[in-house]
Amino acid sequence: MSGTKEEDRKGSSEWREFFWNPRTHELMGRTASSWGLILLFYLVFYLFLAGMFVLTMYIMLLTLDDYKPTWQDRLATPGMMIRPKGDQLEITFSVSETESWDGFIQNLNTFLSPYNDSYQVQTNDNCPPDQYFIQEDSGEVRNNPKRSCQFNRTMLEECSGISDRFYGYSRGQPCILIKLNRVIGMLPGKDGLSPYVTCGAKKEDSDNMGLLAYYPPNGTFNLMYYPYYGKKAQVNYTQPLVAVKFLNASLNTDINVECKINSNTLADGSERDKFAGRVSFKLRINDK
């Protein structure tokens, strides 16, 4: 027993001496000068790494343009989105139950508020249609901020929320707004032909969708809203919209709808994204 206690004391003494040796003034086996040299080495080493990182970031930032991306890796055809989005791109409501579609109305009112005619007249230009609104820079002189063309809410006619503040939902004739995702510098048409939207039901639902009405007429995204120059260069840009009104869709049944963009310059879909240039959603109108 005494031998075991003596070994324990010896082991404890060795650990204490390793941590701090009062005879050699070593901390964990190193003198103060040794620790100082190690800390100095790592300080210089990490300062060097930080300097290299800062220099690399500085050089990279010198290659960037505040108004236009230096490199633009994008799909040949932009994506599309609808408003209101609903839950998981599902628009389901009951005509007789106001609370089932009231959220859609609020969503559309909020989304369309920047499109009010009074605001558009104050901030944007009345542009000639069917031609691009090109605003070139003059060499190194920036033509910023760039102007934008008016897209007035009244252009959506029966889907503007003005003549019918319920956007047709109270009568079982809902309006769905479609927008094309913004892509800097995109030219979506040529020869004066604007891209346009068409919607159709999936094969199994083709008899249930009924007639459609498009606003603006023919469901076009007019060329005058392109090219888009970016959020910073074109601060008042108003994205063009197409409204689709379902006039006599079947009640109490699911209708799977697909809307797509048609253009003589944009590719029809993409191998990288089968939903490029199109959007699919489910519509269900319930009634007693």
Side-chain angles (χ1 to χ4, degrees):
M1 291 291 292
S2 60
T4 302
K5 290 182 179 180
E6 186 174 331
E7 289 176 358
D8 291 341
R9 285 197 298 270
K10 184 178 180 181
S12 176
S13 175
E14 289 177 351
W15 273 106
R16 286 198 301 269
E17 186 171 310
F18 170 75
F19 184 77
W20 171 247
N21 190 327
R23 292 181 289 101
T24 60
H25 297 90
E26 292 179 348
L27 177 66
M28 300 180 68
R30 293 185 179 275
T31 62
S33 59
S34 177
W35 279 114
L37 290 174
I38 290 176
L39 293 175
L40 179 62
F41 168 80
Y42 280 107
L43 177 63
V44 172
F45 177 68
Y46 285 114
L47 284 175
F48 173 77
L49 291 181
M52 287 292 293
F53 175 76
V54 171
L55 179 62
T56 303
M57 292 298 295
Y58 175 73
I59 294 174
M60 184 193 72
L61 291 174
L62 288 178
T63 67
L64 301 181
D65 191 321
D66 290 339
Y67 296 95
K68 183 180 179 180
T70 305
W71 305 105
Q72 195 168 351
D73 182 17
R74 62 174 176 83
L75 295 172
T77 304
M80 299 175 71
M81 187 46 68
I82 64 169
R83 291 290 187 279
K85 289 191 294 186
D87 183 23
Q88 300 295 323
L89 292 181
E90 294 184 10
I91 308 296
T92 303
F93 66 96
S94 176
V95 176
S96 58
E97 297 178 7
T98 306
E99 63 275 8
S100 69
W101 46 262
D102 185 62
F104 296 146
I105 305 307
Q106 294 180 19
N107 183 289
L108 289 171
N109 284 335
T110 300
F111 179 73
L112 287 177
S113 59
Y115 292 86
N116 289 333
D117 291 23
S118 57
Y119 179 77
Q120 288 294 311
V121 169
Q122 293 176 3
T123 57
N124 292 333
D125 294 1
N126 186 15
C127 303
D130 303 325
Q131 62 185 42
Y132 290 124
F133 190 25
I134 304 293
Q135 302 173 75
E136 296 287 356
D137 295 329
S138 179
E140 296 297 325
V141 180
R142 297 284 188 179
N143 180 20
N144 292 327
K146 299 185 187 299
R147 295 170 295 150
S148 302
C149 296
Q150 295 178 22
F151 188 97
N152 296 311
R153 188 168 178 171
T154 50
M155 295 170 64
L156 298 176
E157 300 181 35
E158 293 185 29
C159 291
S160 65
I162 298 174
S163 58
D164 177 8
R165 63 191 182 96
F166 298 128
Y167 301 91
Y169 284 79
S170 62
R171 302 195 305 272
Q173 296 180 323
C175 290
I176 306 294
L177 304 183
I178 300 174
K179 65 187 186 73
L180 194 63
N181 291 346
R182 302 180 184 187
V183 176
I184 293 177
M186 181 182 70
L187 301 175
K190 63 181 180 179
D191 302 327
L193 298 177
S194 299
Y196 61 95
V197 172
T198 54
C199 296
K202 298 294 179 66
K203 186 176 181 180
E204 63 273 14
D205 300 324
S206 57
D207 296 333
N208 298 324
M209 190 175 71
L211 298 176
L212 303 177
Y214 296 93
Y215 309 100
N218 302 318
T220 58
F221 293 113
N222 201 282
L223 295 180
M224 65 181 175
Y225 300 107
Y226 303 96
Y228 172 57
Y229 288 99
K231 186 175 182 179
K232 191 170 183 179
Q234 206 169 7
V235 293
N236 292 323
Y237 181 76
T238 303
Q239 200 164 356
L241 305 172
V242 167
V244 182
K245 187 176 184 68
F246 292 81
L247 300 177
N248 56 345
S250 298
L251 302 177
N252 305 313
T253 185
D254 291 343
I255 306 173
N256 294 291
V257 183
E258 181 179 88
C259 297
K260 67 176 184 176
I261 188 71
N262 300 274
S263 166
N264 56 10
T265 61
L266 300 179
D268 186 14
S270 168
E271 293 182 358
R272 294 169 56 188
D273 186 355
K274 63 180 180 179
F275 295 110
R278 64 189 65 210
V279 60
S280 298
F281 59 94
K282 184 171 75 175
L283 175 66
R284 183 182 180 91
I285 307 172
N286 294 321
D287 199 10
K288 296 179 180 179

